[in-house]
Amino acid sequence: MRIAMVSEHASPLAVLGGVDAGGQNVHVAAVSTALAARGHTVTVYTRRDDAVLGERVPLAPGVEVVNVTAGPARSIPKDDLLPYMDALAAGIRADCLRTRPDIIHAHFWMSGVAALRAANELRGHDGVNPLPVVQTFHALGTVKRRHQKAEDTSPVERETLEPWVGRSVDGVLATCSDEVTELRALGVDPAAISVAPCGVDTELLSPEGPAVPKGRRFRIGVVGRLVPRKGVDLVIQALARLRADGWDDLELVIVGGGDPGPGEKDPEVTRLQGIASELGVADRVIFRGRVPHDELPETIRSCDAIVCAPWYEPFGIVPLEAMACGVPVVGAAVGGLLDSVVDGSTGILVPPRDPEAIASAVARVLSDPALARRLGANGRRRAVDLYTWDRVAGLTEECYRKLLETSQAVAMTGNGARI
């Protein structure tokens, strides 16, 4: 089938680790590539954020990225992109008249707005069948507001548009069971919801291979976007507690960073460095900055545990990356981690925002090599069994086929109007 992916702010071509570049970029790139490997043709539509980008860029065999001009051709925070969704929808519609996709799959709520507008505008064109629209939210505004409160920078329109997207699309692919509960609370029809988790490249990320050298006997790691909700400051606090408890030969490596302007420093890095200095562990915290994805396994393998301590997490690819490398996970018991990390089997789950619990869990892993080996081995098996991108693509493909069958049946009755 011909698949149109829409990912308005998270281009699969983006460098990872910035404020708005992370798991969604990986997800869109990987699931598109895996779908193409299953015989489909995928076109990914994203907003042009750099004037030097070509209009059409090959990503993988069977996958092409189309950079649509929608607003200024420069990086813009995702929470400021809503005014450009009409232009994005127009670009998608124009290209779809040429490519004639069978289905549209939108990623994030604003992509859903653009995808629904494009699909509705395509309806009625000669030779264009009704296009089912599938939605993957990746994050929900209700959850973000609940945790960030006044610090939530989402546009006010999200409060009404996001539920509208969920209720208007033909199907919603949730990434975890916690998200299913949230979607139902938004009024999304449970019958329209399927689950397809995020995945991990279990060939690139594996226990075998080189590891970057440690500076101390023990190392724990944090990987991902450096934004306050990821809880990296909690891990630094846990490190200080561990040092006070006698774990003196321990370091923390932090991978990720924002995108400051020339001559500027990432404000979140500056904040975290200040916390490390205040707690007396600055000499034990290593800021690696952004690391190319194909070099990430070397850093993960160097760690005795990967710590994921977000306030909330729609899914979380980092725990899967650690598990694929056979490294134990210490994670907050929130969101997608409740599905991916099996407490006591592939990692240790702790209450959110609890540095003392993080420190205790890390100490448990570091002090028991047999436990660490068991957690790592079980994590690797779980990643291979449940979270390969081919399996995720298979679940996604199954959703598409069901919706196409329904769409074709509706088209035959002549009742194809979208609410």
Side-chain angles (χ1 to χ4, degrees), residues 217-218 328 363-376:
R217 180 184 175 189
F218 298 107
R364 182 180 165 194
V365 172
L366 299 184
S367 62
D368 190 342
L371 171 65
R373 286 192 296 271
R374 178 168 60 83
L375 296 176

Side-chain angles (χ1 to χ4, degrees), residues 200 202 323 377-388 391-392:
V200 65
T202 55
M323 288 160 55
N378 289 344
R380 172 65 185 178
R381 280 193 294 272
R382 186 170 176 80
V384 170
D385 289 345
L386 298 178
Y387 293 105
T388 63
R391 182 173 185 273
V392 174

Side-chain angles (χ1 to χ4, degrees), residues 23-58:
Q24 184 176 327
N25 305 72
V26 173
H27 186 109
V28 172
V31 79
S32 297
T33 301
L35 285 165
R38 297 172 74 91
H40 307 293
T41 300
V42 183
T43 304
V44 182
Y45 297 96
T46 191
R47 196 191 73 85
R48 183 192 302 277
D49 61 5
D50 191 327
V52 304
L53 289 172
E55 180 183 357
R56 316 187 81 87
V57 181

Side-chain angles (χ1 to χ4, degrees), residues 108-366:
F108 201 59
W109 71 275
M110 278 185 283
S111 293
V113 171
L116 283 167
R117 290 174 180 171
N120 283 332
E121 291 168 2
L122 284 166
R123 190 179 303 278
H125 279 273
D126 289 340
V128 178
N129 293 323
L131 279 177
V133 178
V134 180
Q135 176 70 32
T136 298
F137 281 102
H138 293 279
L140 290 170
T142 50
V143 179
K144 186 177 181 182
R145 283 192 301 277
R146 187 182 309 147
H147 291 275
Q148 296 193 6
K149 298 181 173 63
E151 295 180 4
D152 179 11
T153 57
S154 301
V156 295
E157 294 90 342
R158 184 175 188 176
E159 189 169 352
T160 54
L161 285 176
E162 188 169 67
W164 172 77
V165 168
R167 294 192 291 260
S168 300
V169 295
D170 300 276
V172 177
L173 275 175
T175 55
C176 66
S177 54
D178 184 69
E179 186 183 356
V180 173
T181 302
E182 298 285 350
L183 288 167
R184 294 179 69 167
L186 289 178
V188 178
D189 181 359
I193 304 172
S194 303
V195 177
C198 296
V200 65
D201 185 340
T202 55
E203 295 183 4
L204 172 67
L205 292 131
S206 72
E208 295 78 30
V212 298
K214 298 179 184 178
R216 296 180 182 271
R217 180 184 175 189
F218 298 107
R219 168 181 281 186
I220 58 176
V222 171
V223 179
R225 291 183 294 138
L226 296 190
V227 292
R229 77 166 183 88
K230 292 293 186 178
V232 181
D233 52 350
L234 302 172
V235 186
I236 296 173
Q237 293 170 39
L239 177 67
R241 290 171 185 265
L242 286 161
R243 185 182 182 191
D245 290 340
W247 291 91
D248 197 52
D249 205 8
L250 171 65
E251 65 186 9
L252 165 64
V253 61
I254 298 173
V255 176
D259 190 18
E264 299 177 357
K265 288 193 67 175
D266 182 336
E268 182 65 2
V269 171
T270 300
R271 186 180 78 90
L272 294 171
Q273 287 174 332
I275 292 170
S277 295
E278 290 174 9
L279 296 175
V281 292
D283 61 331
R284 286 163 170 73
V285 180
I286 304 159
F287 289 87
R288 286 287 311 277
R290 297 181 183 180
V291 172
H293 196 244
D294 59 354
E295 297 176 15
L296 184 59
E298 299 179 26
T299 297
I300 293 178
R301 293 188 199 108
S302 74
C303 297
D304 298 285
I306 292 293
V307 184
C308 304
W311 306 348
Y312 65 95
E313 187 60 77
F315 183 81
I317 286 180
V318 173
L320 296 184
E321 293 174 331
M323 288 160 55
C325 287
V327 175
V329 176
V330 172
V334 296
L337 275 75
L338 294 167
D339 284 2
S340 60
V341 180
V342 181
D343 187 33
S345 176
T346 69
I348 299 175
L349 292 176
V350 300
R353 302 204 192 195
D354 191 337
E356 189 169 339
I358 295 170
S360 177
V362 168
R364 182 180 165 194
V365 172
L366 299 184

Side-chain angles (χ1 to χ4, degrees), residues 53-106:
L53 289 172
E55 180 183 357
R56 316 187 81 87
V57 181
L59 178 68
V63 184
E64 184 178 50
V65 178
V66 175
N67 293 294
V68 179
T69 299
R74 57 178 171 81
S75 179
I76 297 174
K78 68 175 183 288
D79 288 333
D80 297 334
L81 290 177
L82 184 59
Y84 308 116
M85 290 305 100
D86 280 344
L88 182 63
I92 295 168
R93 181 197 62 207
D95 198 65
C96 285
L97 285 172
R98 182 185 65 83
T99 60
R100 300 296 173 98
D102 300 300
I103 198 159
I104 300 181
H105 186 169

